[in-house]
Amino acid sequence: MADRMTAREAIAEVSDAFTEFAADDGVRKENGPIDWPGYDDSRARAAQRTGEQESVVCGRAELAGRALALVSFEFGFLGGSLGERTGDRLEAAHRYAREHRLPVVSLIATGGSRMQEGMRALAQLQRVARESALTRAAGLPQIAVLRDPATGGGWATLGAGADVVLALRGAQVGFAGSRVRPADADPVAYTAESQFSAGHIDAVVRHGELRAALALRLALLTGGAAPGSAPPVAADPPAALGRSDLPATGWDAVQRTRAAERPRAPAYLDAYFAERAPIQGDRCSGADPGMLCGFGLREGRTIAYAAQCGTATRPSGYRTAARLIRLAERLRIPVLTLVDTPGAANDAAAERAGAGAAIADLFAAVAECSVPVTTLVIGEGGSGGALALAAPDNTWATPDSYFSVIAPELAAAILKRDVSEIRSTADDLRLRPQDLVELGVVRGLVSA
């Protein structure tokens, strides 16, 4: 279990300055909207114990020179539960963010909706979801920080609905709170670490790391082009890190890409970006370690990236890349993709996870993207599983890469050629980087 901070302790941990919004809690009906016996007394005790008048504190904050709208839950006030007045404050925070063009950061510690207000409390989730959607439509980033616990409607709206989700190490995270889970439920499934592994959280951080992690993400996510301005300038393709001479034959090109010493995506990302912050997971089925996605800082501006790492790409990898591209488009941030895969994973698990639908969705995300996408083929370009990540009119290649409709070995097998003809099949496919330029598949080759 993570250490539980009060709402104001959490605010102090992640901000350099904070000005609380004036709360207009209005006239409250005695014992709440459904006349719950003793509700007023419970609220009074909660207020005396915490010093707060509601389960959430909202205001304008600053972190590392950037202003933001900050929401912090007070778990000590009726379990951080959401009631009508909580909804009032959350709505006011989002409206302020939109009026002042600020990102929204939510420090979540809640057990869910407030039972003492019945369906009037539960309806606040719709209200919160609408405000979040309006903020999203305004092109403003939303970051959630999951404290302990982050359960119920707070997790299912402000938490899971955020653009980027960070969680404190050891925090309880899940839709079901500890008192309503099945008796035989595995408690590990309701942890930040488990949710991270399942692709629902972007990063798990320690208390001492939270301020820096949040500051970096705020800097990157607010680095897009201003609304109404010209589209952002396309990212330059990275310089080649491997061999500079061109392969003599198609089989030479294939062998080069499969060499253990060839630079992979992490080396390219480290050389290209001054600093970067990953996003992880497709928010539905898992995370693919062979697809690195996130935002990085390059020569003072933010660029989003999706990079294959040389393995067969899983459906969750394609969905994560599509998620990244759509988020970058909404925040008006240019995208860089690095192609390096023998192809899409084609085992039974991948088919059950919807490989075809995931690839189709990524094709659509790239095709529809209104911000520029730049692609560099840095290794294997294996069929549609690689092409889905490639910009149709802005793809480049390194001298130690290839792109092919299919791997030479598979082409020979399908065409019923003898294994001795695999090398000549590679030539027939015209997959060398210089062939790709001649065919108009790529714009050009990059040098060191």
Side-chain angles (χ1 to χ4, degrees):
M1 180 183 295
D3 293 334
R4 285 185 176 167
M5 298 177 286
T6 68
R8 296 185 189 273
E9 286 172 342
I11 290 170
E13 180 164 346
V14 303
S15 65
D16 302 318
F18 179 74
T19 303
E20 187 174 356
F21 298 145
D24 181 12
D25 291 333
V27 178
R28 184 179 293 107
K29 181 182 176 182
E30 185 176 354
N31 282 329
I34 62 172
D35 195 25
W36 184 279
Y39 181 39
D40 282 355
D41 291 338
S42 296
R43 285 187 58 91
R45 289 193 297 271
Q48 184 176 20
R49 183 171 56 252
T50 64
E52 306 296 347
Q53 297 301 310
E54 245 313 327
S55 60
V56 68
V57 177
C58 304
R60 180 186 177 109
E62 288 189 9
L63 175 58
R66 285 181 171 79
L68 60 140
L70 185 60
V71 169
S72 185
F73 279 77
E74 175 53 69
F75 188 75
F77 192 101
L78 301 179
S81 57
L82 282 78
E84 283 191 296
R85 300 302 178 238
T86 320
D88 290 342
R89 294 187 178 197
L90 294 174
E91 180 179 291
H94 274 269
R95 286 184 175 178
Y96 183 91
R98 294 194 296 272
E99 289 170 2
H100 295 83
R101 303 294 307 169
L102 299 179
V104 177
V105 174
S106 300
L107 311 177
I108 300 170
T110 175
S113 298
R114 192 168 301 169
M115 295 176 295
Q116 298 93 327
E117 295 187 17
M119 281 301 297
R120 292 288 288 272
L122 190 64
Q124 300 310 305
L125 302 184
Q126 295 173 317
R127 189 179 181 189
V128 170
R130 174 170 173 74
E131 290 303 317
S132 179
L134 292 172
T135 301
R136 187 178 303 114
L140 298 169
Q142 299 173 68
I143 301 176
V145 176
L146 308 180
R147 295 155 55 207
D148 186 57
T151 59
W155 160 233
T157 51
L158 289 170
D163 298 317
V164 172
V165 182
L166 308 179
L168 290 176
R169 185 176 181 180
Q172 297 178 66
V173 179
F175 186 65
S178 60
R179 297 184 183 181
V180 297
R181 298 168 191 163
D184 59 350
D186 179 5
V188 174
Y190 302 87
T191 62
E193 289 77 4
S194 178
Q195 297 281 5
F196 174 75
S197 297
H200 304 308
I201 290 174
D202 293 296
V204 176
V205 299
R206 300 174 186 269
H207 273 293
E209 301 169 343
L210 180 56
R211 175 186 285 256
L214 186 56
L216 175 59
R217 285 159 177 82
L218 280 170
L220 293 171
L221 295 179
T222 57
S229 65
V233 176
D236 293 328
L241 299 180
R243 296 179 60 169
S244 58
D245 58 315
L246 293 174
T249 68
W251 188 244
D252 287 341
V254 172
Q255 291 298 93
R256 284 187 183 197
T257 68
R258 297 175 181 175
E261 66 273 15
R262 177 179 59 80
R264 262 58 177 186
Y268 275 91
L269 294 175
D270 287 344
Y272 192 76
F273 292 114
E275 53 186 341
R276 55 191 171 94
I279 69 167
Q280 163 159 308
D282 63 0
R283 297 293 189 261
C284 63
S285 69
D288 179 2
M291 178 74 82
L292 303 181
C293 295
F295 296 85
L297 189 63
R298 165 86 173 167
E299 297 177 349
R301 70 183 185 124
T302 301
I303 296 172
Y305 63 85
Q308 293 167 317
C309 295
T311 57
T313 304
R314 312 295 307 178
S316 58
Y318 291 115
R319 281 190 278 260
T320 304
R323 173 191 158 214
L324 178 281
I325 289 169
R326 290 187 171 112
L327 176 56
E329 179 180 27
R330 180 156 49 80
L331 300 180
R332 294 174 57 81
I333 293 171
V335 179
L336 170 70
T337 66
L338 302 180
V339 169
D340 186 7
T341 180
N346 57 6
D347 52 47
E351 294 297 344
R352 284 193 294 269
I359 294 170
D361 188 48
L362 180 55
F363 268 118
V366 173
E368 296 165 354
C369 191
S370 62
V371 296
V373 179
T374 302
T375 299
L376 179 64
V377 186
I378 64 171
E380 290 192 87
S383 193
L387 188 66
L389 199 61
D393 56 358
N394 195 25
T395 292
W396 305 75
T398 64
D400 51 0
S401 68
Y402 83 83
F403 218 142
S404 177
V405 65
I406 194 170
E409 298 94 332
L410 298 178
I414 291 172
L415 297 173
K416 298 182 179 180
R417 292 183 175 183
D418 189 80
V419 293
S420 63
E421 298 182 78
I422 290 175
R423 292 173 180 246
S424 61
T425 300
D427 286 331
D428 293 339
L429 287 168
R430 299 200 62 195
L431 49 73
R432 299 177 303 169
Q434 59 265 46
D435 295 328
L436 302 176
V437 175
E438 185 177 342
L439 292 169
V441 175
V442 302
R443 288 184 59 181
L445 306 181
V446 298
S447 57

